[in-house]
Amino acid sequence: MTKKLAALSLVAGMLAITAPYATAEVVLPDAVMIDDGEVAKSLTGSAGNPENGRKVFANRKQGNCLACHMNKDLSEQPFHGEVGPTLDGVADRWEEPELRAILINSKIALSEDTIMPSFYRLKNGARTMDKFDGKTILSAEQVEDVLAYLKTLKEE
Amino acid sequence: MHRTGKKLAVIAGAFALTIGLASHSAGDPDENSLAIEGETIVTDVKAPADSPLEHLYSGWRFRASETQSLQTDDFENPGMVAVEQAIDQFAMVDGSEGKACADCHADVSDFKGLRPNLPRWDEAKSKPETLEHIINECRTERMGAKAWKWEAQEMLNMTALIGLQSRGMPVTVETGGPMASVWEKGKELYYTRVGQLDMSCAHCHENNYGKMIRADHLSQGHINGFPVYRLKWGGLGSIHRRFKGCMQNIRATPFKRGSDEFIALELYVASRGKGLSVEVPSVRN
């Protein structure tokens, strides 16, 4: 556990060196505090990239958000799921700190029973496959990128 | 500001729901009815009193009409090839005792009524048994033949042939007596969140059936049609293979085919479908 954390902060440290815009260290999953359904500060210390967030949103091996959410902005993609609410205009309904919390841990930010995965949490369901165990579904950068993309989904 | 927005979204949601109830929404099971070779197959029945569901629907009702139609005619049902093979296997001598199934069971139709009651308690072994166990018990203990592997073609063929004898009969599986603790264990597994995606069977098949999850139309996840011919598999597959696939999709390490866990889950899932017709071998995409 401590070893894993140390390894992660090492990765975070490397990112701080290689990524030109990263000014602060990445907030590790276990260090994230959800306060009244909100996470105010960026996980990476900087704003995400909405174009990449759009890709992560659609990618079946990454966010795969389209599995459950309809989204007109991605109408070029076939098969939008209907398990969750449509995300058209989602930025009109939620503030950035709330959206960040929903992405990080839907069980805290939305409801304990939700089907929606928690994308930035180390401990998930029982019997998680070895290759995914103790890992987050999305990286801190990907969470911020998806968030930046969600903020573009406005209708008002 | 976002608070009012959220309220509006909720109202819009309620409105969509009313529309969904009034007309027939895209998410519901369809209204098609299934008859095979003139025999009516019950694909929709009021749920028993202790069910968490109000109404039960066979997985057939959620499939596209092209897939559905493959099951309405035995000449078109690709699963019937396996049944033909099993008819040959039934008459084939195998093992040290020089016997075929047909030497002890004059007619395969004697097995009518077996499939709807499985899995069941095996008194002699003091544990639950599935159709696969029953078949292998005959092979190893009465024929002196080797057990077939759970997912072997011969086993799939034979479970399809034996299941077919009960086609149209309601699932009635026994959940009391010595099966009660097995059922409890299956129920617990059904509601346990597993995998990195952190979902239970209930999240998809109880709370969200009828909805699209990306390209798939979620059913209630019943097993009255197994073994099913899946177009994606290009052949028949067992109940435990389907459980395994669903677990892997949510990034969980599946239990093994034939494991105590999957047998318990099989009993529990079967009991959720009590009253639906056996429709072996069914066709799914």
Side-chain angles (χ1 to χ4, degrees):
Chain A
M1 180 72 205
T2 19
K3 232 189 269 170
K4 215 174 263 167
L5 274 182
L8 273 174
S9 36
L10 197 71
V11 173
M14 280 160 51
L15 280 174
I17 297 165
T18 48
Y21 305 108
T23 47
E25 275 207 3
V26 166
V27 182
L28 297 176
D30 279 351
V32 180
M33 297 296 282
I34 297 185
D35 189 6
D36 197 18
E38 302 187 358
V39 177
K41 284 219 307 249
S42 163
L43 296 176
T44 59
S46 52
N49 170 340
E51 285 96 69
N52 191 50
R54 192 171 186 272
K55 291 185 193 137
V56 174
F57 188 101
N59 190 312
R60 286 165 200 268
K61 299 218 155 107
Q62 296 176 352
N64 198 17
C65 315
L66 272 186
C68 296
H69 295 284
M70 284 183 265
N71 176 4
K72 277 198 213 113
D73 180 63
L74 278 160
S75 53
E76 79 272 16
Q77 292 272 347
F79 310 126
H80 294 205
E82 45 190 29
V83 170
T86 170
L87 295 184
D88 298 339
V90 70
D92 303 324
R93 299 191 290 275
W94 301 85
E95 303 289 345
E96 176 183 312
E98 296 174 304
L99 288 172
R100 185 179 287 111
I102 292 173
L103 286 175
I104 290 171
N105 192 335
S106 55
K107 313 302 180 303
I108 296 179
L110 288 172
S111 89
E112 211 186 308
D113 308 323
T114 187
I115 186 177
M116 181 161 150
S118 300
F119 289 93
Y120 197 66
R121 185 173 73 162
L122 295 178
K123 186 91 195 79
N124 288 296
R127 300 183 66 83
T128 294
M129 283 176 179
D130 285 348
K131 65 175 168 178
F132 297 112
D133 200 21
K135 296 190 178 123
T136 60
I137 302 173
L138 297 179
S139 68
E141 287 72 21
Q142 287 170 329
V143 170
E144 292 301 328
D145 290 353
V146 171
L147 180 64
Y149 171 61
L150 292 181
K151 285 171 63 189
T152 69
L153 301 179
K154 290 198 168 139
E155 287 184 324
E156 275 168 20
Chain B
M1 176 202 113
H2 59 271
R3 302 269 172 217
T4 20
K6 244 180 273 174
K7 207 176 278 166
L8 276 178
V10 170
I11 294 169
F15 185 57
L17 193 72
T18 350
I19 292 175
L21 288 175
S23 69
H24 180 75
S25 105
D28 294 334
D30 64 33
E31 272 152 26
N32 298 344
S33 53
L34 176 59
I36 308 173
E37 312 276 303
E39 184 180 15
T40 305
I41 303 288
V42 175
T43 58
D44 140 20
V45 68
K46 195 175 174 325
D50 56 350
S51 171
L53 301 164
E54 275 181 32
H55 212 86
L56 309 183
Y57 300 97
S58 158
W60 183 83
R61 293 281 290 276
F62 299 86
R63 308 293 27 109
S65 53
E66 310 85 71
T67 312
Q68 285 184 336
S69 73
L70 290 173
Q71 206 184 309
T72 58
D73 178 345
D74 281 345
F75 285 102
E76 292 206 29
N77 184 334
M80 293 308 280
V81 176
V83 168
E84 295 290 329
Q85 287 169 0
I87 291 172
D88 292 342
Q89 284 167 230
F90 202 79
M92 218 183 302
V93 172
D94 196 5
S96 59
E97 305 305 303
K99 283 185 185 144
C101 314
D103 287 315
C104 295
H105 310 280
D107 196 320
V108 69
S109 66
D110 293 350
F111 293 127
K112 185 174 166 114
L114 179 62
R115 178 65 267 181
N117 294 301
L118 298 174
R120 70 182 179 193
W121 187 249
D122 178 349
E123 282 294 345
K125 297 208 167 70
S126 254
K127 55 182 192 188
E129 64 181 1
T130 66
L131 185 51
E132 287 85 352
H133 293 126
I134 295 173
I135 292 170
N136 270 341
E137 194 175 300
C138 273
R139 289 186 53 80
T140 57
E141 293 175 22
R142 300 185 192 88
M143 297 167 72
K146 270 214 230 121
W148 283 322
K149 289 225 167 71
W150 202 271
E151 206 69 40
Q153 191 59 52
E154 293 92 337
M155 180 60 95
L156 293 166
N157 295 346
M158 195 56 76
T159 55
L161 174 64
I162 293 175
L164 174 63
Q165 307 312 309
S166 306
R167 192 163 69 184
M169 293 178 71
V171 172
T172 51
V173 72
E174 174 62 55
T175 56
M179 287 303 258
S181 63
V182 181
W183 186 86
E184 284 296 340
K185 181 176 168 184
K187 180 176 181 185
E188 191 189 318
L189 289 166
Y190 194 87
Y191 287 101
T192 302
R193 285 185 184 268
V194 296
Q196 194 192 31
L197 303 191
D198 202 30
M199 296 171 198
S200 73
C201 314
H203 280 110
C204 288
H205 295 298
E206 181 173 317
N207 304 342
N208 286 295
Y209 71 85
K211 294 185 186 155
M212 296 301 293
I213 188 161
R214 207 114 194 200
D216 288 312
H217 196 191
L218 282 169
S219 75
Q220 293 178 341
H222 293 299
I223 53 176
N224 55 315
F226 279 78
V228 301
Y229 186 97
R230 244 191 117 188
L231 302 168
K232 184 182 159 194
W233 292 335
L236 290 179
S238 71
I239 296 164
H240 295 194
R241 181 176 182 187
R242 181 38 118 160
F243 291 172
K244 181 171 178 270
C246 282
M247 286 186 77
Q248 281 169 326
N249 284 343
I250 44 180
R251 301 185 175 177
T253 307
F255 298 104
K256 296 229 157 23
R257 293 182 179 92
S259 62
D260 292 348
E261 287 86 356
F262 271 174
I263 293 166
L265 199 53
E266 177 177 337
L267 174 68
Y268 179 69
V269 175
S271 78
R272 292 175 66 104
K274 274 190 193 180
L276 289 172
S277 291
V278 171
E279 45 173 274
V280 178
S282 64
V283 185
R284 303 286 186 258
N285 53 308

